[in-house]
Amino acid sequence: MIGTHETFDGTFPFPPHFSTAPGFRMHYVDEGAGPVLLCLHGEPTWGYLFRHLITEFSGTHRVVVPDHMGFGKSETPADRTYWLQDHIDNLEALVLDLRLRDITLVMHDFGGPVGMGLLSRHPELISRVVSVNGPTPFGQPELGDTLAANASQAPWFQWIMRAQEDGSLDDVLGALGYNILSTLKLNGFQDGAIITPTWVRAYAAAFPTRTETLGALGWAKGFALGAHVFEPPTAGARELLATIPALAIWGAEDRTLDAARFLPLFRAVFPHGLVSELPGVGHYSLEDAPRTISALLRLFLDATDRSASIAA
């Protein structure tokens, strides 16, 4: 776990907040006031991924950025499981504890399934959905086939399956603090200029010991074992999604989550949603293209705010 007040040379200067509602000390950033942007990271990142968005939007929005259990500045309890459904439970507990409403979900990587799980349980709390290289599973009939086809070609998922089969998965991810850069490169980013000692330290510091890699290991192992359970959408959630504003921003060079496979899943759930593919941008698109993503998100929020005002 990263030190509570660690700022990584001022690149993450946000005061820490903690909730024990999920049954452990769950860290979150809470900056600004106004409509809520709830930003959900994936594997093997943490709230640091959203540092540019926090700075950009905290002047007009309340930006809440939790670290999932076992990631970032959140605790890594040894007596918990780290499957998708556990992360949905934790997020639900945090959102209810903070009494968040009028939420715009901003989801990256496995933050997508976690956020969609929250939407399934509490559609009344969600006003917009933004997927940034984040899957949007929502009971689509083709979901299983899509995941299997993607996994058969994505280097990250191929490695997970091989490592689980040969028994090396625990050892490799147990040393994630040492091999974080190679793991991030395997998943994919395009801009090598972002690699600085501070940047590497920020991502490595979340996994200083083997016992603190349970979050990253759990997500990978859960995929290999088929232990992750996607939240089934309720009838109310399905009805809401027929009208909810939605935006997908996808780095076209994503080697882990292929746009050609996952954008159709997005369109199936959000038939009126907007899609923007970013050429030359990889899986960690918030690192490759933070300014572009901020600009697209700002346009989307402004447009949907105006639409809401006109409708009212």
Side-chain angles (χ1 to χ4, degrees):
M1 183 174 65
I2 298 168
T4 299
H5 298 286
E6 175 64 71
T7 70
F8 297 101
D9 301 324
T11 60
F12 196 77
F14 314 109
H17 301 268
F18 292 90
S19 170
T20 57
F24 65 99
R25 272 171 56 87
M26 188 173 192
H27 170 260
Y28 61 97
V29 170
D30 194 342
E31 293 286 303
V36 175
L37 297 184
L38 180 60
C39 303
L40 306 175
H41 72 83
E43 170 91 328
T45 59
W46 58 286
Y48 193 78
L49 181 73
F50 293 103
R51 63 196 181 281
H52 302 297
L53 286 190
I54 298 170
T55 300
E56 173 67 25
F57 287 93
S58 57
T60 54
H61 290 74
R62 181 182 179 185
V63 187
V64 178
V65 185
D67 292 334
H68 298 300
M69 180 174 65
F71 293 86
K73 296 184 178 183
S74 287
E75 282 188 325
T76 308
D79 60 347
R80 296 281 294 268
T81 54
Y82 290 80
W83 312 139
L84 168 60
Q85 54 270 32
D86 301 310
H87 292 300
I88 297 172
D89 290 344
N90 296 337
L91 180 64
E92 178 184 36
L94 176 70
V95 166
L96 296 179
D97 183 38
L98 299 182
R99 300 181 181 180
L100 302 181
R101 303 189 65 84
D102 187 23
I103 297 169
T104 297
L105 291 172
V106 182
M107 312 176 299
H108 180 260
D109 193 80
F110 86 72
V114 177
M116 295 300 288
L118 176 69
L119 192 156
S120 294
R121 296 182 185 183
H122 295 282
E124 75 283 358
L125 300 181
I126 311 301
S127 59
R128 300 172 188 83
V129 171
V130 179
S131 162
V132 185
N133 289 78
T136 51
F138 206 70
Q140 300 96 324
E142 66 273 27
L143 177 61
D145 289 343
T146 296
L147 295 174
N150 182 76
S152 70
Q153 295 183 343
W156 168 248
F157 291 109
Q158 290 178 330
W159 173 78
I160 288 173
M161 297 304 294
R162 290 196 304 268
Q164 176 64 20
E165 290 174 2
D166 66 24
S168 65
L169 185 63
D170 292 56
D171 288 338
V172 175
L173 289 185
L176 189 55
Y178 296 98
N179 57 39
I180 189 68
L181 184 56
S182 61
T183 302
L184 293 171
K185 284 184 174 180
L186 181 62
N187 278 291
F189 57 87
Q190 300 298 108
D191 184 7
I194 64 177
I195 304 174
T196 66
T198 297
W199 187 87
V200 173
R201 184 166 65 88
Y203 283 120
F207 309 107
T209 66
R210 187 185 184 95
T211 58
E212 291 182 271
T213 63
L214 292 178
L217 177 60
W219 187 254
K221 188 178 286 285
F223 168 78
L225 299 177
H228 297 312
V229 177
F230 295 101
E231 187 75 16
T234 63
R238 287 185 182 276
E239 183 178 353
L240 171 69
L241 263 63
T243 58
I244 189 171
L247 170 66
I249 303 171
W250 214 276
E253 305 304 320
D254 192 334
R255 298 190 299 272
T256 297
L257 301 172
D258 182 9
R261 300 190 188 281
F262 286 96
L263 287 179
L265 290 181
F266 173 85
R267 293 186 175 101
V269 179
F270 304 104
H272 304 294
L274 304 173
V275 173
S276 181
E277 293 189 63
L278 307 181
V281 174
H283 177 68
Y284 297 109
S285 49
L286 287 148
E287 293 288 0
D288 276 338
R291 292 183 179 178
T292 300
I293 291 174
S294 291
L296 290 169
L297 180 55
R298 179 71 71 185
L299 287 171
F300 173 71
L301 294 172
D302 288 348
T304 52
D305 280 345
R306 285 196 297 270
S307 297
S309 298
I310 293 171

